[in-house]
Amino acid sequence: MNGSTEPDRLHGLDEQLRQWTDAGLRRHLAARAGSQGPTIVLDGRPLVNFGANDYLGLAADERVIAAAVESVRHEGWGSGASPLVAGRSETHSAFETDLAEFKGTEAALIFASGYAANLGTISALTSQGDAIYSDEKNHASIIDGCRLSGSAVHVYPHRDVGRLNELLRESAQYRRRLIVTDGLFSMDGDLAPLPELAELARQYDCLLMVDEAHSTGVFGQHGRGVSEHFGMHDQVDVHLGTMSKALGSAGGFVCGRRTLVEWIAQRARSYVFSTAPPAAASAAALAALQIVRDEPHRRKELLTRSRMIRQAIVQQGWSVGQGEGPILPVYVGQAARAMELAGAMADRGLYVPGIRPPSVPEGESLLRISLCYGHTPAMVERLLAGLAELAW
Ligand code: PMP
C-alpha cells in the first residue's frame, strides 16, 4: 500500500531499490555538463575523466563537430523513419561504403546503437535448431542477442579454448553454429584468443563473430581492430562494432560479406523496426574514420601509454587485468570497496568509475580506468598519485 486506500501498483519496487542502496548496488544517474573529454564536469564537479570510451579523443574534435553540424544544416536532425522506409540518408549510405572499405569487407550496415547491432545480428543469424558458443565475459548485448535468438547457447569459461573445443566436439547436431566473442573485453580489458578461435571455427565449420566495439580505431595496423592485430581479419565472418567509442559518434555496425549484410538488413528486427539514427551521427563517424586513417599516432601513442600506465599501477601493488589496451581494470573484490575507492578518487578530482554487479560477477568488482589520447602527462600523474595514496 502507498498510504492511500488504493493498492500500490509498483508494490515491491521501493523495497528492492532500498535493498540495492543498502548493498551498495544502486546506480546513480549523474549528469555531465559540457562535452565529453579528458576533463568533464559531472554533477557540477570538475573531474579528470578516466571513465569514457572516447579513446582517440574524437567525441568533441572540431572536425567531427563540424561534420555533424553541416549534416544537421542540410539533412535536419531526426531521420523520421526506419531505414527500409525513408529514414536511410545518403550520408548513412556513404558511411556504410566508407566503413566497409576501412574494415576491408564487402559491405557494412549501421544500426542505432551497438547494442541494437548485437541484438539484431545474432538473432537474425541464428534461431531454434542452431547453436551459439559465447565467452562468459561477453558484453550484455551479445548475451541478450543469444537469448533472443532462441538457439542453444553454450557459454564457455573466459578465453578457455580447450573447453570451447570440447563443447564444439560434443554438439555437432545443430544446423548452423556461431562462435561469438568480444575482441577487446569491455570490463577485463583483455583480448580474445582469436588465432585459436579462428582455428576452431575452421575445424568445426562455424561462423566466427567478433565484437570490436572497444578495438575499432585502436588496434591493428590500420585501426580495424583486434582481428587485424592478430592478422585474422579474413577469418572473421561477422565484424561487429560501434561508432560510440573510438569513433566519437553514436550507432552500431556490422560488416562482412555482401550476402551476410543483406540477410541482416532483411531479418534483424532491431534494424527493420527502429528509426534510422540521425544522418549527422554518420557524418560525424565519416569524419572520425578519416582521422583514424590520417592520424595513426593517436592509437599508437595510446597503446604505448596504456602499457606504461598499466605497469606503474601493478608496481603500486594493485591487481590489474592482463590486457594490452586502454581499459585497465583494477580488481578490488566487493562492490562496497569499489564504490568507496571510486568516491575517494573523486574526492581527489579523478573520475574512475567503480564497476559492480550486474556488470561484473559478484565478488569481482573493480575500478575501471579508461585511458584516452587526450590525457596529458600531468593528468596521468594525478591518477597514479591518487591510486598510490589509496593502495594498501
Ligand atoms: N559491445 C560491447 C563490447 C560494448 O562494450 C558495448 C557498449 N558498452 C556495446 C557493444 C554496445 O554499444 P553501444 O554503446 O553503441 O550501444
Side-chain angles (χ1 to χ4, degrees):
M1 303 293 277
N2 56 6
S4 77
T5 52
E6 294 291 317
D8 184 357
R9 294 185 185 152
L10 299 182
H11 174 72
L13 301 192
D14 267 341
E15 180 49 32
Q16 184 66 63
L17 285 168
R18 246 191 313 278
Q19 283 175 18
W20 285 337
T21 307
D22 293 346
L25 294 177
R26 183 152 172 192
R27 316 294 178 102
H28 166 65
L29 280 75
R32 196 193 69 238
S35 64
Q36 191 58 266
T39 58
I40 48 169
V41 178
L42 202 59
D43 282 347
R45 218 169 165 191
L47 297 162
V48 183
N49 182 12
F50 291 98
N53 304 314
D54 180 24
Y55 299 119
L56 300 180
L58 300 183
D61 183 281
E62 286 304 334
R63 295 162 289 184
V64 174
I65 293 171
V69 169
E70 177 78 3
S71 162
V72 172
R73 287 232 167 80
H74 287 95
E75 303 175 272
W77 173 244
S79 70
S82 67
L84 295 180
V85 180
R88 183 169 176 269
S89 70
E90 288 178 352
T91 305
H92 290 123
S93 170
F95 176 62
E96 286 172 350
T97 303
D98 197 46
L99 181 65
E101 196 270 328
F102 171 78
K103 283 277 184 177
T105 57
E106 285 178 11
L109 189 75
I110 55 166
F111 289 72
S113 71
Y115 188 97
N118 263 326
L119 219 63
T121 297
I122 296 172
S123 58
L125 282 178
T126 55
S127 56
Q128 211 176 0
D130 298 326
I132 304 176
Y133 302 83
S134 176
D135 188 293
E136 67 176 343
K137 295 274 177 108
N138 277 344
H139 188 257
S141 54
I142 295 180
I143 296 170
D144 293 353
C146 292
R147 287 178 182 152
L148 192 63
S149 73
S151 39
V153 182
H154 303 267
V155 177
Y156 58 91
H158 186 44
R159 302 179 78 251
D160 187 343
V161 287
R163 181 66 192 131
L164 173 59
N165 188 13
E166 284 169 13
L167 287 169
L168 287 164
R169 204 176 43 225
E170 291 161 4
S171 58
Q173 71 273 26
Y174 297 98
R175 184 179 45 204
R176 182 179 296 140
R177 301 205 283 172
L178 171 75
I179 301 172
V180 58
T181 184
D182 278 20
L184 172 62
F185 284 89
S186 57
M187 292 301 149
D188 293 80
D190 48 0
L191 302 184
L194 275 198
E196 292 85 352
L197 294 182
E199 175 52 29
L200 289 175
R202 195 196 55 74
Q203 197 180 328
Y204 292 99
D205 194 23
C206 300
L207 286 171
L208 178 58
M209 170 168 165
V210 181
D211 179 348
E212 303 262 22
H214 292 271
S215 39
T216 298
V218 175
F219 277 88
Q221 194 193 347
H222 302 93
R224 285 176 180 168
V226 165
S227 54
E228 186 186 33
H229 168 81
F230 282 116
M232 298 283 122
H233 197 73
D234 294 341
Q235 292 168 60
V236 173
D237 303 290
V238 188
H239 301 262
L240 202 120
T242 169
M243 290 87 89
S244 66
K245 302 188 195 293
L247 298 184
S249 183
F253 63 78
V254 61
C255 301
R257 300 247 313 269
R258 196 166 299 286
T259 311
L260 174 102
V261 169
E262 178 67 18
W263 173 274
I264 293 167
Q266 304 294 324
R267 295 296 300 272
R269 291 167 67 83
S270 61
Y271 181 75
V272 177
F273 296 106
S274 188
T275 298
S282 281
L286 260 170
L289 215 46
Q290 198 51 46
I291 299 172
V292 170
R293 288 186 180 99
D294 294 345
E295 302 181 4
H297 64 274
R298 287 178 182 258
R299 61 177 171 276
K300 287 182 186 151
E301 272 182 41
L302 177 67
L303 290 179
T304 306
R305 276 193 241 152
S306 299
R307 273 191 290 275
M308 286 161 47
I309 297 166
R310 186 184 298 268
Q311 206 47 43
I313 300 174
V314 168
Q315 275 164 11
Q316 289 184 7
W318 296 96
S319 161
V320 184
Q322 293 295 307
E324 300 184 30
I327 301 172
L328 310 185
V330 177
Y331 298 107
V332 300
Q334 293 311 309
R337 177 77 180 136
M339 300 323 290
E340 184 193 323
L341 286 168
M345 291 298 269
D347 291 341
R348 289 161 174 77
L350 300 156
Y351 180 59
V352 182
I355 308 288
R356 53 199 151 151
S359 302
V360 289
E362 194 65 45
E364 293 181 32
S365 292
L366 51 97
L367 287 180
R368 183 174 181 275
I369 300 169
S370 297
L371 300 173
C372 297
Y373 175 75
H375 288 134
T376 62
M379 291 174 187
V380 172
E381 292 261 306
R382 278 184 67 184
L383 170 76
L384 294 177
L387 285 170
E389 279 173 29
L390 298 172
W392 74 92

